[in-house]
Amino acid sequence: MDYPDYVLQISEGGFSEDMHFDYWYWAERLRRAAPADAEKIVDDFTDPIYQVQEVVDAGGGALQFSTDAYKRGSLEILEYCVDAGYRLE
């Protein structure tokens, strides 16, 4: 899965229900697996998925989409993983 492409598609008004649910299930697994000290980071990182899910849960409507938390979370999750000893290559 290429999560940045998903976020970009949503920000451009694109939506595929199948694609969204794949990411929603992935985000749910990620949230359950996150250590307690990374919960806020994961929440920020997966925020776009949950913004879309709120509209889905409401049965439709307008999406007021923001990527602020996602951008912050993207950097923080990379820093968290590097601090934990993972290498970026």
Side-chain angles (χ1 to χ4, degrees), residues 22-82:
D22 287 344
Y23 280 100
W24 184 77
Y25 289 123
W26 169 77
E28 288 290 295
R29 289 190 314 272
L30 185 60
R31 279 183 157 182
R32 284 192 301 273
D37 63 337
E39 288 176 355
K40 172 69 171 114
I41 295 169
V42 170
D43 284 348
D44 285 348
F45 183 63
T46 58
D47 182 64
I49 297 166
Y50 291 98
Q51 289 181 60
V52 172
Q53 189 61 37
E54 285 180 21
V55 173
V56 170
D57 289 344
L63 174 64
Q64 302 298 320
F65 191 67
S66 170
T67 58
D68 293 342
Y70 165 73
K71 290 174 189 175
R72 182 177 55 249
S74 294
L75 178 59
E76 290 174 348
I77 205 163
L78 287 174
E79 290 172 344
Y80 184 89
C81 291
V82 168

Side-chain angles (χ1 to χ4, degrees), residues 2-14 65 67 70:
D2 197 357
Y3 184 45
D5 284 343
Y6 167 83
V7 175
L8 182 60
Q9 285 182 347
I10 295 302
S11 69
E12 293 175 345
F65 191 67
T67 58
Y70 165 73

